Amino acid sequence: MNTTYKIAILASGSGTNAEAIMNRFSNHEYIAVSKVYSNNADAFVLERAKKFDIPTAVFNKQELHSEEFLNSLIEEGFDLIILAGFMWLVPAQIVSAFENRILNIHPALLPSYGGKGMYGHFVHEAVLGNKEKESGISIHYVNEKYDDGDIIFQAKCAVMESDTPDSLANRIHKLEHQHYPEVIEKICLQNN
């Protein structure tokens, strides 16, 4: 395998999942995170990318929906686009151009607790409010709707009676950081 599999990460916030991915592929033989994009100029994920010498770019909603942005993604030659805490819906033209090549991770067992407004602590509060016995993560392909694409992988964890949204989030984060890079690597291997 001679060619490098090029990954772009889109993130909106702190970037712990993005860092786990950058760390996994920082010295990988044929997979590389080539660029980190954010819709938030103050997002800490941009600082995390600097640690790995990965170029970054910041964009606004108008730019995300522009032909120029789509063309730049295509011209960069990304093989996969990874959403890591990216809060905006990906425009249909990007989904179409990168069909089955955009992945997202969700902090619940989809199809439950997905959709617009269901992210971060809102998900964990809903899970606890409904007294669920388990929660987990879902890694899925991205389509034109929030959290609606085909599920690639799920991992579960128990929900304890003593859980708070924060304690449940901590267990979910561990699953995310463990499994998201692994699944990305498997998909790259399958596509080569």
Side-chain angles (χ1 to χ4, degrees):
M1 213 172 297
N2 304 332
T3 57
T4 298
Y5 212 79
K6 289 178 74 174
I7 293 174
I9 295 177
L10 272 61
S12 299
S14 169
T16 58
N17 269 316
E19 181 161 16
I21 294 163
M22 290 185 275
N23 195 45
R24 174 71 167 244
F25 301 121
S26 62
N27 291 304
H28 201 280
E29 195 180 351
Y30 52 85
I31 303 169
V33 176
S34 301
K35 199 162 191 176
V36 173
Y37 293 85
S38 184
N39 57 321
N40 174 2
D42 298 322
F44 194 67
V45 70
L46 299 170
E47 293 303 312
R48 294 181 195 273
K50 282 181 192 167
K51 279 190 346 193
F52 293 91
D53 292 322
I54 294 171
T56 61
V58 176
F59 59 88
N60 61 33
K61 196 161 260 184
Q62 187 179 349
E63 289 165 332
L64 176 66
H65 288 267
S66 72
E67 210 52 47
E68 289 79 16
F69 190 82
L70 171 60
N71 289 337
S72 73
L73 292 175
I74 292 168
E75 284 162 19
E76 292 262 13
F78 297 120
D79 298 287
L80 268 186
I81 298 174
I82 304 299
L83 308 187
F86 183 65
M87 295 297 135
W88 291 350
L89 197 61
V90 177
Q93 73 260 23
I94 295 176
V95 172
S96 176
F98 289 87
E99 187 177 359
N100 290 329
R101 293 191 294 144
I102 307 174
L103 305 186
N104 186 37
I105 191 163
H106 187 73
L109 298 170
L110 293 172
S112 300
Y113 305 105
K116 188 169 174 61
M118 288 304 275
Y119 60 89
H121 69 277
F122 297 113
V123 174
H124 307 311
E125 285 170 2
V127 166
L128 293 171
N130 286 333
K131 306 211 180 310
E132 298 285 0
K133 299 285 182 234
E134 60 184 14
S135 190
I137 62 166
S138 301
I139 298 170
H140 64 92
Y141 289 111
V142 171
N143 65 16
E144 291 87 359
K145 298 177 189 165
Y146 284 108
D147 307 320
D148 184 61
D150 290 343
I151 294 169
I152 302 163
F153 175 87
Q154 291 185 309
K156 297 176 181 178
C157 66
V159 176
M160 314 293 182
E161 280 186 36
S162 60
D163 265 329
T164 64
D166 285 342
S167 66
L168 180 55
N170 287 337
R171 279 204 309 291
I172 298 284
H173 283 314
K174 285 181 183 153
L175 289 176
E176 290 176 339
H177 300 161
Q178 176 189 347
H179 293 292
Y180 207 10
E182 287 175 359
V183 170
I184 292 165
E185 187 168 21
K186 279 182 189 156
I187 287 171
C188 292
L189 283 170
Q190 287 168 1
N191 292 336
N192 262 312

